[in-house]
Amino acid sequence: MEKMAANSETNSDSEDQDKEYVGFATLPNQVHRKSVKKGFDFTLMVAGESGLGKSTLVNSLFLTDLYKDRKLLNAEERITQTVEITKHTVDIEEKGVKLKLTIVDTPGFGDAVNNTECWKSVADYIDQQFEQYFRDESGLNRKNIQDNRVHCCLYFISPFGHGLRPLDVEFMKALHEKVNIVPILAKADTLTPNEVKKKKFKIREEIEQYGIKIYQFPDCDSDEDEDFKQQDQELKDSIPFAVIGSNTVVEAKGKRVRGRLYPWGIVEVENSAHCDFVKLRNMLVRTHMQDLKDVTRETHYENYRAHCIQSMTRMVVKERNRNKLTRESGTDFPIPVIPGANDTETEKLIREKDEEVQRPHLECEPEHTYGLKQDEHSSLELHSALGPDPDPETS
Ligand code: GDP
């Protein structure tokens, strides 16, 4: 038996040697070199009420000081404050690989006395980035498009409540179809390990109960090794990530570490026995950054694009019907016509759009408006928007 196995191995070896080497095995290297040269970008949004440690965590995650110029408001100013959206960008380089990291913060979220619909400006911001991208890729110059789409939103949940608050549910439900939401249990050092466990369980249960669709880690392939599968399962079970942030370095057991010094001891940010900080950072940076970008492009942006095209279609049909009616009734009022589109061209456009909208991945609820105003649609270059969509990122 052993001899036979050895024989067949030698045979396949010699077959391999006989095959002529064409060279396409270097393709991954070519892709690698090209992407390293181009650099990477990633846009991360942080949301949640102020004081939950968002800025501290972002600084701890990327070892930067992104909030140097932040102005903290007093209680009186916060009463009337509306939700603002601020953007900070840093270029980070590690072993020759460049990453342009953009952090979108939402100061003022949940701070007012009346927080009804305070998620709206966050949703509008995400839509505006989609809209800009849609316009850019529909325009003439599709090279060097600045992609500001939000790839991930870390949503901070207070450790002091009993699970989710109504505002948390409202926010996540309003945004879950626009962005990858990763829930975070903030300031985990204020809870005992048992409390962390219970809170995580309760939050997961409520997420399920309210039908909130948070970011789903992709299933691992069946041929992955057991260690990898276990790590993957642990990652899924960690949701919401219980984190601790700190921008100070303290001395623990003779080592200098990022941590928080209390009279009764030290909590270490990067110690997995203390919190999920390392898991979160590994997920964001080492293992799932590309997947977060892929889901943004293939699911959230595609949905947005489909809604836009649907509304444009409806508008063109309405316009055409109105034109017809006017001609028949002989009214004197001039009805706006889409520039350069005569009847046959319009027919063709509608047909193309109908086909596009009917593709399976573009099935969407028609009642959403997604921030594009009607008069804005007509100024878009309709025709180029409807061509086959070679996403500049993937082409
Ligand atoms: P933000 O308003 O959400 O950006 O919150 P900040 O990052 O400014 O943090 C608010 C306060 O909470 C600061 O005094 C931080 O030092 C503190 N803080 C930040 N992260 C943690 C944490 O993980 N645990 C504890 N106990 N305090 C934290």
Side-chain angles (χ1 to χ4, degrees):
M1 235 1 217
E2 258 172 33
K3 217 173 174 184
M4 265 177 69
N7 265 346
S8 70
E9 228 166 68
T10 344
N11 276 349
S12 74
D13 274 359
S14 64
E15 262 172 37
D16 275 353
Q17 275 165 13
D18 286 348
K19 260 192 212 160
E20 265 193 277
Y21 181 70
V22 178
F24 55 78
T26 65
L27 267 174
N29 303 348
Q30 294 174 37
V31 175
H32 174 84
R33 271 186 36 206
K34 209 172 158 188
S35 359
V36 169
K37 225 169 133 188
K38 199 171 149 214
F40 297 85
D41 57 65
F42 188 69
T43 303
L44 178 71
M45 174 180 263
V46 284
E49 80 187 68
S50 69
L52 283 182
K54 299 184 295 295
S55 350
T56 312
L57 187 83
V58 166
N59 286 340
S60 318
L61 277 173
F62 300 101
L63 304 178
T64 52
D65 188 5
L66 275 157
Y67 294 87
K68 281 183 284 255
D69 316 318
R70 185 166 69 143
K71 184 181 166 264
L72 291 174
L73 301 180
N74 62 31
E76 203 183 344
E77 287 166 321
R78 286 212 306 261
I79 290 174
T80 48
Q81 195 202 4
T82 48
V83 182
E84 244 185 274
I85 307 284
T86 57
K87 224 169 98 171
H88 305 264
T89 302
V90 272
D91 291 302
I92 321 178
E93 194 171 332
E94 202 178 73
K95 293 186 182 167
V97 178
K98 289 184 215 121
L99 173 71
K100 183 171 159 261
L101 173 73
T102 306
I103 303 291
V104 180
D105 201 351
T106 55
F109 175 83
D111 282 355
V113 176
N114 180 359
N115 288 306
T116 319
E117 300 213 327
C118 76
W119 46 265
K120 221 167 175 303
S121 37
V122 183
D124 286 347
Y125 177 84
I126 294 175
D127 279 340
Q128 277 157 19
Q129 308 318 306
F130 282 152
E131 182 186 335
Q132 188 58 48
Y133 195 83
F134 184 63
R135 281 174 190 280
D136 287 350
E137 70 167 2
S138 312
L140 283 178
N141 186 5
R142 291 153 58 91
K143 271 190 186 167
N144 307 322
I145 294 180
Q146 175 97 36
D147 183 4
N148 290 318
R149 294 173 292 184
V150 181
H151 301 122
C152 177
C153 171
L154 298 182
Y155 186 73
F156 284 64
I157 299 163
S158 167
F160 309 120
H162 298 284
L164 296 179
R165 293 168 312 157
L167 181 60
D168 300 332
V169 176
E170 217 178 287
F171 177 91
M172 290 196 268
K173 282 195 87 160
L175 275 94
H176 64 181
E177 282 183 345
K178 296 175 191 286
V179 66
N180 295 312
I181 297 178
V182 174
I184 302 287
L185 181 57
K187 296 188 174 180
D189 56 323
T190 57
L191 302 167
T192 65
N194 204 19
E195 283 169 334
V196 169
K197 212 169 137 193
K198 279 191 187 154
K199 284 231 154 103
K200 278 187 172 201
F201 184 76
K202 178 104 200 282
I203 292 170
R204 276 203 300 266
E205 219 177 40
E206 288 180 331
I207 283 176
E208 175 113 25
Q209 182 190 338
Y210 292 112
I212 298 165
K213 291 180 233 143
I214 55 168
Y215 170 62
Q216 291 299 314
F217 297 112
D219 289 330
C220 52
D221 296 331
S222 50
D223 58 349
E224 294 287 3
D225 64 56
E226 284 310 310
D227 266 5
F228 185 85
K229 280 185 189 165
Q230 195 190 331
Q231 275 176 21
D232 189 67
Q233 194 51 48
E234 274 175 26
L235 190 69
K236 287 173 182 162
D237 294 340
S238 302
I239 290 290
F241 293 104
V243 296
I244 300 168
S246 169
N247 292 325
T248 44
V249 175
V250 290
E251 204 165 308
K253 294 177 209 136
K255 272 201 291 180
R256 292 181 59 73
V257 291
R258 253 171 203 257
R260 306 185 72 84
L261 178 64
Y262 292 109
W264 51 88
I266 289 170
V267 277
E268 296 167 40
V269 169
E270 297 190 32
N271 185 337
S272 308
H274 294 187
C275 73
D276 299 327
F277 176 88
V278 173
K279 267 192 202 133
L280 172 70
R281 189 177 60 193
N282 284 350
M283 186 282 285
L284 275 180
V285 183
R286 297 189 184 179
T287 54
H288 289 72
M289 187 179 271
Q290 194 52 47
D291 188 64
L292 285 161
K293 292 177 77 172
D294 290 346
V295 176
T296 304
R297 197 185 61 235
E298 290 161 14
T299 309
H300 301 303
Y301 176 65
E302 263 325 297
N303 280 343
Y304 173 84
R305 192 170 166 273
H307 282 295
C308 276
I309 293 171
Q310 258 180 346
S311 349
M312 285 155 84
T313 312
R314 254 182 263 125
M315 212 185 67
V316 173
V317 172
K318 236 195 220 162
E319 200 114 339
R320 194 182 64 151
N321 288 346
R322 257 203 294 168
N323 274 348
K324 238 183 187 169
L325 266 174
T326 323
R327 258 185 271 125
E328 276 163 17
S329 64
T331 166
D332 286 342
F333 299 116
I335 302 288
V337 194
I338 291 185
N342 62 30
D343 253 2
T344 42
E345 271 169 355
T346 316
E347 301 257 14
K348 198 172 146 227
L349 261 176
I350 293 167
R351 219 179 21 254
E352 283 173 1
K353 272 176 270 164
D354 280 345
E355 280 164 17
E356 176 101 50
V357 170
Q358 275 157 19
R359 281 189 210 141
H361 70 283
L362 301 178
E363 278 172 11
C364 345
E365 289 155 17
E367 60 265 26
H368 290 256
T369 52
Y370 275 101
L372 255 195
K373 288 182 210 92
Q374 286 236 322
D375 50 349
E376 281 174 339
H377 294 310
S378 48
S379 67
L380 280 174
E381 285 178 54
L382 293 188
H383 202 75
S384 45
L386 298 165
D389 171 38
D391 194 322
E393 203 174 288
T394 49
S395 61

